[in-house]
Amino acid sequence: MTNASPAVQQLRARAPQAQPRIASVLGSGWGSLTGHVRDALRIRYDELPGFPQATVLGHSGELWLGRIGAHEVAVMSGRKHAYENGDVKGMQLPLQTLRALGCEVLVQTNAAGSLRAEMAPGSLMVLTDHMNPSQRSPLVGAGGSERFVSMVDAYDPDLRAIAHAVAARCGVELHEGVYVWTLGPQFETPAEVRMFRHWGADAVGMSTVPETILARHAGMRVLALSLLTNMAAGLSEESLSHAHTLSTAYAASDVVGSVLADIIAAIEL
Ligand code: HPA
């Protein structure tokens, strides 16, 4: 990615003064963060060459440039999922674009299924690590020795500590744990869920991991937060559906948006 890529050029033309240093990607239920973006300039993804054309209900497809606290931010409302077309590189160009604009930190959010009884639907988890059992990587085909990127502390310990401190200050319980990525779009079988629990995973979801790999490759620090919208398959009587995910997500939306805004404001660059 050069600074002259069409999406970077378009953003420079639309927002010549913008110098965001923190990027955020909003998953289901996290959209209310945009209400905390000051002096916002909203740019639709279809105006940005290579940005995803959203296909999932609940993902609107806009880039918000503005400020949260003292930080300039670039917030992606809507992401591309690998399950849409099998391509795990769908977020490569947007993330490279935000990196080229100056973003050094990526704050990711998602909706996930809980694998632990004490993490009830509606609660939050900060990722300490992830598992990628499908072993799909957005770096396949990348050149150079940088492609062999370390995934140790992929979720930045200092950013995780900030998230915990802010959540405690807000009186919001923040669990921490390991996120296991499934390609989807089907939910897991109960047998898969038993296997993931046995492996030591704490939550399961269909996003975030490709973006973390891309962001680490691009030298960005990563923080990722899950909103647990349900107990994973077989762990409760409730039947799973996207509508159920969205309804739990929206019920928690105001709280999680404001905690997320406080976490972003507290990040030290
Ligand atoms: N599994 C996978 N992805 C999800 C889930 C789940 O149970 N809930 C929300 N996203």
Side-chain angles (χ1 to χ4, degrees), residues 29-30 32 36 122 124 170-172 250-261:
W30 294 87
S32 70
H36 299 265
L124 297 178
C170 299
V172 170
Y250 289 142
S253 167
D254 286 351
V255 175
V256 301
S258 87
V259 175
L260 179 59

Side-chain angles (χ1 to χ4, degrees), residues 203-247:
V204 56
M206 304 176 194
S207 68
T208 304
V209 166
E211 293 95 320
T212 297
I213 295 169
L214 287 164
R216 293 304 297 144
H217 182 242
M220 301 170 87
R221 293 194 289 148
V222 178
L223 175 70
L225 298 161
S226 292
L227 169 59
L228 302 161
T229 51
N230 55 279
M231 296 309 295
L235 299 182
S236 89
E237 298 303 306
E238 221 146 20
S239 60
L240 297 181
S241 69
H242 190 56
H244 179 263
T245 297
L246 290 183
S247 77

